[in-house]
Amino acid sequence: MNARVLLLALLLPSAALAQGFAGLGTDAEGYALPDPDHRFDFPEDHGPHPDFRIEWWYLTAVLDGDDGATYGVQWTLFRAALSPEEATGWGAEQIWMGHAGLTTPDGHFTAERLARGGIGQAGATADPFEAWIDDWAMTGRGGTPDALDAIRLTARGMEFAYDFSAEATGPIVAHGANGYSVKSQDGQASHYYSQPFYEMAGTLTLPAGEVAVTGTGWLDREWSSQPLGPDQTGWDWFSLGFDDGSRMMAFRLRSDTGRDYTTGTWIDADGSAETIPAGALTLAPGRTARVAGRDIPVEWTVTLPARGLDLAVTAMTDDAWMDTSFPYWEGPVTVTGSHEGRGFLEMTGY
Amino acid sequence: MNRAALGALLSHWRRRPLQLVALVLGLMLATALWSGVQAINAEARRAYDRAASLLGGTELARLARPDNAPVPLADYVALRRAGYLVSPVIEAELDGMTLLGLDPLTAPPGVLPADLVEGAVDFEGFAGDGTLFVSPETAEQGLSAPLPTAISRDLPPGTILADIGRVAALSGQQDPSYLLVAPVQPPGLPPLSGATALELRAPDAATDLGELTGAFHLNLTAFGLLSFGVGLFIAHGAIGLAVEQRRPVIRTLRAIGLPLRRLILLLAVELLAIALAAGLAGVAIGYAIAAALLPGVAGTLRGLYGAPVGGELGFDPAWAALAVLIALAGAAVAGAGALIRVARMPVLAPALPRAWAMNHSTLLRRQGLAAIALFALAGILTTGAQSLVIAFAALAALLFGAALALPLVLTAALRAAAPLARGAYGEWVLADTRQQVPGLSLALMALLLALSANIGVSTMVGSFRDTFTGWLDRRLVAEVYVRADGDPAALATRIAPLADAVLPVSSVDRPLLGAPGSVMGQADDPAYRETWPLLSAEPGAWDSLHAGEALFVNEQLALGADLSLGDTVEIAPGTALPVAAIYADYGNPEGQALLGADRFARVFPEAEPFGFALRTGDTPALLDALRAIGLPDDAVTDRDSQKRLSLRIFDQTFRVTGALSALTLAVAGVALLIGSATLAGMRLPQVAPLWALGQTRARLARTEFARALALAALTFAAALPTGLAFAWLLLNRINTEAFGWRLPMILFPRDWLTLGLLAALAAGLAGLGPALRLARIPPARLLQVFSNER
């Protein structure tokens, strides 16, 4: 998954809390830098990488309820280091942030939690796998070849809660070159892998009551220390699942100098992946909707001529606004055109 | 035409500058004292608001251990991981100030000072650089250690705010002192009270400083209003007289064609201009008074209530504008009657200044009826008085009733004295004095108000001080007190060989019967049994206390919760004991329960003694010995120093009250001075015939002077009972409501004597000028009275 919400802090210093994280700065001094020669080592790499500045565990899912409605769910745990030194107790300069989103056919719920590391209120462990903040958790259920093959996912906001189990039906996919995912022409990069093959089942608790749901989920793991170029102002990120079982991850990093950077990963139904070269893919915004005082493109045309791909991607609910410390749009989409399917869209910097 | 008419009207002040002085002084003094008090109150209120807004103020419940020991970090994490929205606070001390460590990541909305949240202060510094946020007052003082600080205007003095990580590092304490509970918890969780062994403490309305100090400010406000009233009395008199004396001018102006409406307008403009000037001057004086008194008030509020008020007065333009408006409103009230009289005046009515001064018989009757009504009201309010506001209303009714009754009382007294008069001259003096009462009545009323307030306040303060001193003697049982820092047990071992007895003093803060309070543990020592200031006790109270079967409560707790001997008080969950005695505990704003040391240790095993009381036969030797074993000077105090300190705080507490009552008295003195000076000028027609009949000017002057003294003496005589009633209300109604204790009323006749002499001095000064002028008046002026058409 692309450089994400925490980076908004760097891009939008006017955001109220942004200054809280502005200690991040824009240089990577003292922090580890993504290494093209790194090869993922599981389960260790499921756990945190505190020597990197930022990191996340990011799960999105499109779910069908027993009430006939379609729901979109997001669960994210961010880690941000205020300094490259490690410490325990109150002195630990690691900040954790949880975001939970729930999109219904006619609305969107958001919840956010913040905590500092070092005291056990939030954190992540590789083996047994758990990533948590307060009572929100993504927990490995154990007994599987990979710790992420079977997980449980919980979160609770003021208006909603959810509790799911997720089982992977395919392998973990590394993006870019063996998980080294380049983010700009200037070479900014991150370590990035996904588990795009989750079958999900569980319960949503809504103000009106509980809804049993099933569907598909997509987990992203990414860490870096300086993943954005200074001219990059935001991004549009897609994770799409097609009816033939193939998947696609695609993103566009927008630049204020006009050098947009567009790339992605094509994933076959068996999990074999191929990087989509920069520029091969077109992501063109269409109709915009007025959301939270901004014009947000909620319809997109996605074309990839090399694979005969010509898609219309439409938000299921226009107002999937994450009203968090760093606000952004994130919600489920339907895919029509050359391929049919569903997926998730994230847009920042609008 | 306007200019000519205005010039004619204004020329009056050139001829009677004293009247102008009276008017300006009256309005100025009224504005000054009132606005000064308002400035002090506003400054204190700002400080309370800052204190109250701290940590979400009184809105947030807290989780704490019953013994107030720190909450284990693991307990905090467990609650968060169970889904509860709680936020940790580490409370430590730095430079004698409270150092609060907050976690901005979990703090419920409203916990961080508004200016931090709004970004006026760099938020990055909060968690990142370890900046300490301090109030402007603290910033000015500086900290002893060179730590990075930034100013937050929303912080109260004496509180330092920083990130919890920073405070943990500075204090070495990792465990939160307590947890703040977000007002709304996520749905679907079991109730918090069942999820933890920690004690859930509801938001505490009783810690609201505004409420706690309300009595004090009401007291100041009452004084401010009293002074305002006194000032208005003066202004009213001056304006009324000025209008009367200008009747010829007004008549002429009307006769030559000035429309009535224009005339009224011009008079109103004139009054407005004077009031504006007086109001501005009053605001300046008020600010100076407030700035001079504020440090004392701040000390009082800190000492008495622990309220964090700084000693620096800010300047608030809104306050100044309001004060000027009040001056204008006061002038309007004082001048409205006069303007209405002008409006109704027949065009050719003759000038009758004496008649105006004397035609008060109808007014006198009305005043008498009003006074009776006010006295009745005061009585009704007193018998039913249960709240502070009602008690103050009773005070006001009493004072103004007395003021309104004064002319009647004086007239009656002079009438009653008639048979005592010897000779025609004596009878004339009495009759003439009676005639003068209406003219001087406003000034005398002001004097009565000031004298009564003074007697009342000094009786209250004196009674309190005597009682307090006696109480200190009994409460400070031991000769030497040692504060325990660090390891109390080790300290006890070290000091045990030095003293005859080492009595540990332990205390825990905990709510008692729903209000903030503390429980104290007391060792069994004969000295306590002999001297502890019990107000009432059951037989064998001390034995049952130390057997752990009963507890003692302070008077505040007993009055506040309506406890009697034998009632039970719960001091910890599952521990409720009967009250065996009630003791006096002056100066403590909170309720307190006293337990025997053994029982205390069983109920609060975690609480360590915060100090030791040491018995010795040789205090200096013990002090030297304690210093010799390396105890710091500030950790040791002897009984006499402690007593001196307590009395100093006490005296400081009432300095403001004393200053205000003295100022009010001064205002009244000025009123009297101006009143008699004004009257003197108009009295020649009364005096001239006596001179013509053979009385010497010197005798007439002596009579004038004696009369001034006599009127002051009569006023003082009327003020004495009023003042004592005032004191009774202060001691028995206002004190109980405001502080929670009753005090015996002690009379101080010597103070009355001083005050009486002061009143006589004021009256003497007021009468001296006119008397001297009369003694030196050229006979030609006296003769002129007969040659004039009057």
Side-chain angles (χ1 to χ4, degrees):
Chain A
M1 197 175 285
N2 288 311
R4 286 267 189 155
V5 179
L6 275 182
L7 301 170
L8 273 169
L10 311 180
L11 298 168
L12 306 169
S14 60
L17 250 163
Q19 294 174 29
F21 297 107
L24 286 167
T26 48
D27 61 62
E29 197 151 328
Y31 293 97
L33 284 174
D35 174 7
D37 298 327
H38 176 78
R39 296 292 174 272
F40 290 131
D41 179 15
F42 299 126
E44 275 71 32
D45 276 331
H46 295 325
H49 303 81
D51 45 341
F52 285 81
R53 192 196 294 265
I54 48 170
E55 178 162 20
W56 49 78
W57 293 255
Y58 215 126
L59 192 141
T60 50
V62 184
L63 305 168
D64 297 304
D66 59 2
D67 58 354
T70 305
Y71 296 93
V73 159
Q74 179 207 345
W75 188 103
T76 314
L77 182 65
F78 301 93
R79 178 189 62 76
L82 297 181
S83 100
E85 285 119 48
E86 281 191 68
T88 54
W90 294 113
E93 298 197 70
Q94 300 268 332
I95 304 287
W96 297 78
M97 176 165 72
H99 283 184
L102 169 61
T103 314
T104 68
D106 36 47
H108 184 81
F109 299 104
T110 305
E112 180 177 43
R113 293 291 175 87
L114 293 163
R116 63 185 80 204
I119 57 167
Q121 186 189 342
T125 54
D127 191 16
F129 172 71
E130 186 174 24
W132 77 91
I133 181 164
D134 295 341
D135 60 335
W136 303 9
M138 180 189 285
T139 318
R141 281 157 40 212
T144 49
D146 186 89
L148 291 182
D149 282 351
I151 58 172
R152 186 179 167 206
L153 190 75
T154 56
R156 186 195 304 276
M158 285 300 179
E159 298 127 328
F160 72 100
Y162 55 68
D163 189 344
F164 306 119
S165 62
E167 260 125 57
T169 57
I172 283 174
V173 173
H175 297 286
N178 297 310
Y180 183 81
S181 167
V182 176
K183 294 291 188 277
S184 82
Q185 288 92 338
D186 301 331
Q188 274 90 358
S190 68
H191 291 297
Y192 184 8
Y193 68 85
S194 299
Q195 169 46 273
F197 294 108
Y198 276 129
E199 289 296 325
M200 317 267 301
T203 312
L204 297 175
T205 307
L206 294 166
E210 293 195 346
V211 183
V213 289
T214 55
T216 55
W218 177 308
L219 168 74
D220 270 356
R221 283 279 293 118
E222 191 163 10
W223 60 94
S224 183
S225 291
Q226 193 206 16
L228 273 198
D231 59 327
Q232 291 177 326
T233 55
W235 55 88
D236 310 300
W237 175 91
F238 297 78
S239 64
L240 307 177
F242 304 115
D243 290 350
D244 63 3
S246 57
R247 311 265 197 276
M248 184 176 77
M249 184 280 289
F251 63 82
R252 176 178 78 147
L253 279 158
R254 300 192 304 278
S255 162
D256 56 9
T257 60
R259 300 188 309 157
D260 287 0
Y261 190 82
T262 310
T263 183
T265 305
W266 181 268
I267 306 167
D268 285 326
D270 64 357
S272 54
E274 191 182 313
T275 300
I276 301 167
L281 180 76
T282 328
L283 301 171
R287 177 178 77 87
T288 61
R290 195 77 187 155
V291 180
R294 304 150 213 244
D295 292 315
I296 306 280
V298 289
E299 290 183 10
W300 290 74
T301 307
V302 176
T303 51
L304 178 59
R307 288 191 180 268
L309 204 70
D310 187 354
L311 309 173
V313 176
T314 310
M316 289 184 193
T317 305
D318 284 357
D319 181 17
W321 188 250
M322 293 295 291
D323 187 18
T324 42
S325 305
F326 318 113
Y328 54 101
W329 193 101
E330 175 123 19
V333 291
T334 47
V335 180
T336 52
S338 62
H339 294 61
E340 305 274 313
R342 303 193 297 196
F344 243 79
L345 168 60
E346 176 182 274
M347 296 177 281
T348 69
Y350 284 96
Chain B
M1 182 168 74
N2 282 342
R3 180 179 294 192
L6 197 59
L9 286 172
L10 289 178
S11 68
H12 170 76
W13 303 115
R14 238 189 354 263
R15 285 193 296 133
R16 314 242 180 209
L18 208 56
Q19 253 178 45
L20 184 63
V21 169
L23 181 55
V24 171
L25 261 186
L27 287 172
M28 194 171 78
L29 291 174
T31 317
L33 281 188
W34 184 85
S35 63
V37 163
Q38 290 307 309
I40 290 176
N41 284 350
E43 191 66 36
R45 230 168 270 131
R46 271 195 291 277
Y48 303 154
D49 287 348
R50 285 194 279 166
S53 64
L54 195 68
L55 298 189
T58 53
E59 311 282 303
L60 295 179
R62 294 177 182 191
L63 278 175
R65 285 184 39 154
D67 59 1
N68 287 317
V71 175
L73 188 56
D75 288 9
Y76 162 65
V77 172
L79 279 170
R80 286 298 305 199
R81 295 227 52 196
Y84 296 99
L85 299 181
V86 292
S87 182
V89 179
I90 294 182
E91 208 172 294
E93 207 175 276
L94 183 70
D95 289 354
M97 287 179 277
T98 308
L99 177 59
L100 280 179
L102 299 182
D103 179 19
L105 300 176
T106 53
V111 165
L112 287 172
D115 59 0
L116 281 178
V117 176
E118 285 155 14
V121 172
D122 185 4
F123 192 90
E124 177 193 351
F126 196 86
D129 305 347
T131 303
L132 305 181
F133 291 90
V134 298
S135 68
E137 290 86 348
T138 310
E140 204 156 289
Q141 275 170 29
L143 296 174
S144 59
L147 298 164
T149 57
I151 293 175
S152 165
R153 301 204 166 272
D154 293 324
L155 280 176
T159 299
I160 305 173
L161 198 66
D163 182 68
I164 191 165
R166 178 68 165 166
V167 174
L170 282 174
S171 67
Q173 178 183 337
Q174 290 286 318
D175 292 333
S177 305
Y178 51 86
L179 309 177
L180 300 172
V181 181
V184 183
Q185 295 290 327
L189 296 175
L192 183 55
S193 51
T196 173
L198 296 172
E199 197 172 71
L200 183 63
R201 298 185 183 162
D204 219 342
T207 55
D208 186 351
L209 281 175
E211 198 172 298
L212 201 61
T213 53
F216 185 82
H217 293 295
L218 198 55
N219 189 357
L220 287 186
T221 306
F223 257 109
L225 281 177
L226 184 67
S227 314
F228 189 64
V230 169
L232 285 195
F233 270 94
I234 302 175
H236 179 73
I239 295 171
L241 200 57
V243 166
E244 279 310 315
Q245 288 182 335
R246 280 191 284 186
R247 274 195 185 215
V249 180
I250 291 169
R251 196 174 50 195
T252 312
L253 285 172
R254 294 285 317 276
I256 60 176
L258 185 72
L260 179 64
R261 190 168 293 186
R262 181 72 56 88
L263 175 70
I264 298 284
L265 187 72
L266 288 176
L267 282 172
V269 165
E270 174 201 66
L271 188 59
L272 183 77
I274 293 172
L276 202 62
L280 285 172
V283 168
I285 297 175
Y287 184 82
I289 290 176
L293 291 182
L294 188 63
V297 174
T300 299
L301 291 167
R302 275 195 300 266
L304 214 53
Y305 305 99
V309 179
E312 299 250 334
L313 186 67
F315 183 83
D316 181 359
W319 160 80
L322 185 68
V324 172
L325 276 181
I326 285 289
L328 295 183
V333 168
L339 290 183
I340 289 170
R341 266 205 311 283
V342 172
R344 289 186 184 157
M345 194 188 289
V347 177
L348 295 176
L352 292 167
R354 277 297 291 164
W356 172 78
M358 293 168 55
N359 184 19
H360 269 206
S361 60
T362 329
L363 190 63
L364 217 56
R365 253 200 313 281
R366 274 190 218 145
Q367 277 183 1
L369 289 175
I372 290 168
L374 281 171
F375 284 141
L377 180 67
I380 293 166
L381 290 177
T382 306
T383 38
Q386 283 310 322
S387 94
L388 211 53
V389 176
I390 293 179
F392 271 104
L395 264 191
L398 168 76
L399 277 185
F400 284 93
L404 288 178
L406 181 69
L408 278 175
V409 170
L410 291 179
T411 313
L414 290 168
R415 246 191 218 119
L420 303 177
R422 262 172 295 168
Y425 185 72
E427 277 177 31
W428 173 81
V429 169
L430 273 182
D432 185 60
T433 308
R434 215 164 53 229
Q435 294 280 43
Q436 282 208 60
V437 166
L440 273 175
S441 67
L442 286 172
L444 291 175
M445 283 178 188
L447 184 66
L448 175 92
L449 288 181
L451 286 174
S452 310
N454 214 302
I455 292 171
V457 168
S458 70
T459 305
M460 189 271 280
V461 175
S463 301
F464 195 177
R465 198 175 193 283
D466 270 20
T467 313
F468 184 69
T469 313
W471 170 80
L472 273 179
D473 284 337
R474 303 176 65 183
R475 185 72 184 256
L476 296 174
V477 165
E479 285 77 14
V480 174
Y481 292 84
V482 176
R483 195 182 69 230
D485 303 320
D487 184 355
L491 180 67
T493 321
R494 281 166 72 205
I495 55 182
L498 307 175
D500 296 345
V502 175
L503 311 170
V505 184
S506 309
S507 172
V508 288
D509 289 335
R510 53 169 307 112
L512 291 173
L513 299 166
S518 60
V519 180
M520 205 162 93
Q522 192 179 74
D524 194 1
D525 187 86
Y528 285 132
R529 291 177 177 245
E530 280 159 28
T531 60
W532 196 255
L534 297 184
L535 298 171
S536 62
E538 287 184 338
W542 284 104
D543 292 333
S544 42
L545 177 78
H546 289 297
E549 292 156 0
L551 49 74
F552 292 2
V553 295
N554 67 356
E555 189 186 9
Q556 289 86 312
L557 185 63
L559 281 176
D562 204 12
L563 290 175
S564 333
L565 298 179
D567 292 349
T568 54
V569 177
E570 187 178 53
I571 45 165
T575 306
L577 291 172
V579 176
I582 297 169
Y583 57 94
D585 191 17
Y586 306 119
N588 180 358
E590 294 181 347
Q592 190 182 62
L594 187 69
L595 269 189
D598 295 343
R599 186 73 195 244
F600 182 87
R602 283 206 301 281
V603 180
F604 306 104
E606 313 269 335
E608 295 194 314
F610 68 81
F612 296 97
L614 310 185
R615 304 299 317 273
T616 180
D618 185 353
T619 303
L622 178 58
L623 289 176
D624 288 343
L626 289 171
R627 238 168 257 132
I629 64 166
L631 287 183
D633 274 354
D634 68 339
V636 179
T637 179
D638 64 296
R639 178 161 58 192
D640 290 342
S641 316
Q642 187 61 40
K643 199 173 151 182
R644 268 198 307 278
L645 178 73
S646 304
L647 284 176
R648 212 188 46 172
I649 293 175
F650 179 92
D651 288 339
Q652 198 187 32
T653 300
F654 290 101
R655 196 171 296 153
V656 192
T657 326
L660 278 178
S661 87
L663 281 171
T664 315
L665 194 60
V667 172
V670 170
L672 194 62
L673 189 72
I674 292 165
S676 35
T678 323
L679 270 187
M682 311 187 321
R683 282 181 36 73
L684 276 190
Q686 264 74 42
V687 178
L690 282 132
W691 171 76
L693 290 171
Q695 298 295 341
T696 63
R697 283 175 298 165
R699 186 171 186 203
L700 286 169
R702 275 200 303 279
T703 306
E704 285 296 308
F705 188 68
R707 189 198 337 258
L709 290 183
L711 281 174
L714 282 174
T715 306
F716 180 75
L720 199 53
T722 314
L724 292 180
F726 188 108
W728 186 89
L729 271 173
L730 280 176
L731 287 168
N732 289 286
R733 288 289 179 271
I734 292 183
N735 253 325
T736 23
E737 286 298 324
F739 304 109
W741 55 71
R742 279 199 196 91
L743 292 167
M745 183 156 149
I746 302 168
L747 301 183
F748 298 90
R750 188 183 296 185
D751 285 0
W752 306 344
L753 192 67
T754 317
L755 196 62
L757 288 176
L758 265 178
L761 185 70
L765 281 175
L768 194 62
L772 281 178
R773 251 198 320 277
L774 186 60
R776 293 178 191 153
I777 197 165
R781 289 264 335 261
L782 289 167
L783 279 174
Q784 237 172 11
V785 170
F786 301 101
S787 64
N788 279 353
E789 40 117 13
R790 294 195 44 137

